[in-house]
Each structure stands twice: as structure tokens, then as C-alpha cells.
Amino acid sequence: MSIINTSYVEITTFFLVGMPGLEYAHIWISIPICSMYLIAILGNCTILFIIKTEPSLHEPMYYFLSMLAMSDLGLSLSSLPTMLSIFLFNAPEISSNACFAQEFFIHGFSVLESSVLLIMSFDRFLAIHNPLRYTSILTTVRVAQIGIVFSFKSMILVLPFPFTLRSLRYCKKNQLSHSYCLHQDVMKLACSDNRIDVIYGFFGALCLMVDFILIAVSYTLILKTVLGIASKKEQLKALNTCVSHICAVIIFYLPIINLAVVHRFARHVSPLINVLMANVLLLVPPLMNPIVYCVKTKQIRVRVVAKLCQWKM
């Protein structure tokens, strides 16, 4: 900490939390957490490797899946350092600059994942509504352009976060309420006017809400298209292509909605519940998405099994 004008103490270090009330068990809690990170990283790397090495998977749907895997990898690697620091090494301290950098990457990859899920919903609608023109509309070049535009949009949207947080003064509190840095968590510690952060944070949350609404609209159109198909067998076949994506949407948005409801309507809930739900928010989607796509997508599952058999031989 450094003293400026002797009127206040400027805080340059924040303290993260592990599991409140279970600090004595952090070393044991680190085992499942490290296992989840390891599975998530290996799973998403496997998805990327399979899609890259299999020419038959060089299609729009799988390109978008690789974008989802990259955003999941980004989320995992963004929160991994502080999670390991807290649970494995019992070191909850983090410098303010490192905290601002971490929240930029966490929010950036979260927004990117939301954008990719939106793109994938439109991809499913296009594949079901207009299958004959699907590949001619979503060419490789166009898919690359969509990926670049949405990646740029995601980073630009959260770019002001670290700068607005850095402009605030922190002079009273330095105890955060999660195991990693979040914009809304850090700005509450400021002892200067944080209205800009509140407004821009609300705008960022609104963008995620718009993505979710557009995904719902896409599935409404998909359902309308499917109901127009005469054959029940074809209806089920069309809907089956959406199951993995629907699971990914639920896995990503449900923890966000639950955490928002708890913060808004259950402010006196145990801090342990808050921490658990916040950790689920970043741990579960990167862990479950590759598992869901490997189990529910035959093309991915077959090639993963084939690669495993090759390595065993």
C-alpha cells in the first residue's frame, strides 16, 4: 500500500476468497478443482485437434464448435492462476493490475462464448431451414469473417473495464467475494464515484441478455420450421442436431441467471453459496461442453474413439 497526500491509503493489493469456513480443507478441495481444470483443458484441446486433423469435419458447424472450444480454453486459463494460488498454495493476494487484467480476460471470453452460442443457434436454423444452400451461404471465408468480427466485438466490449477500474480509488476495503476478479466485485470496493462502472457494467450484462433473447428467437424459428416438416422421423432428426447446442446454452446461461438472482434477491445467503455458484460459472461450461459434444455428436465421438485406439496400438 502507498500513502498519497496522507489523506487516504491507496490499496494496491486485493484478497480473493476460497471456500468460506472451509479454509482448513483447501488443499483437499484443490484436488477436484485441479481435476476439473485438467479435464476441461484436455477435452477442449481434443476437440480442436480432432476438428483440425479431420478434413471431413471442416464444415461451418465444426468451425463454430472450435470457436466454442477456444473460448472455453480462454475461460479456464484466465481463472486457473488464482484458483491454484488460493486452494493449492493458500495465497489469496493479487495485485490490482493483475486483478484488472484477469477480469478483462474472464469477461472477454465470457462475452465471446455468449456470441459463439448465438452464432451456433443461427447456424442450426440455417442448416434446418435452408439445407440446400447451407454450405454456399456459410463458406469457409464467411465463417472466418464471422469469427473475427465477433471476437473483435467481444474484446472491444470489455476493453474499458480495466481502465475504468484503474481510474477508481481504493482506500477502505480490499476483500473480494470470489476466487477470481470480476468487474462488479472490484468496483464495489472503490471509495470514489463508480457510476460509470455501474452503467457500463449494466450495458455489458444487457448485451449478454440480448444474445440469450436472440438464441431463444432462433430456436422459436427452428421449432416453427421443424413443425412444418411432414415426416416425424425427419422432425426428430432435425431436432437431434440441436441437442448438443441446447445443452451448451443451458450449461452457460443457467449459472449466470442463478448467480444474478442470488445477488439480487438473496443478499443474505451464505458467502459459501455465492462462491460455489461463482466457481460453477467458470468451471462447469469448459468442463461439460467437450463432454456433451463428444457424447451427442456422432462425428466427433467416432473420431475421438478412433484416435484413442490408434494411440493404444
Side-chain angles (χ1 to χ4, degrees), residues 60 64 123 126 133-140 142-143 146:
F64 293 136
D123 167 75
L126 189 60
R133 296 190 58 206
Y134 173 66
T135 53
S136 63
I137 294 173
L138 286 178
T139 61
T140 302
R142 193 161 290 164
V143 169
I146 292 171

Side-chain angles (χ1 to χ4, degrees), residues 145-158:
Q145 290 172 341
I146 292 171
I148 292 169
V149 167
F150 275 87
S151 298
F152 187 71
K153 166 247 180 185
S154 301
M155 293 303 123
I156 289 297
L157 181 63
V158 301

Side-chain angles (χ1 to χ4, degrees), residues 109-118 208 211 215 252-253:
F109 284 113
S110 297
V111 173
L112 178 59
E113 179 143 349
S114 178
S115 298
V116 172
L117 290 172
L118 173 59
L208 286 182
D211 286 349
I215 290 171
F252 179 73
Y253 283 103

Side-chain angles (χ1 to χ4, degrees), residues 191-203:
C191 55
S192 56
D193 187 2
N194 64 356
R195 279 178 295 181
I196 293 176
D197 291 84
V198 172
I199 294 169
Y200 196 75
F202 176 76
F203 174 71

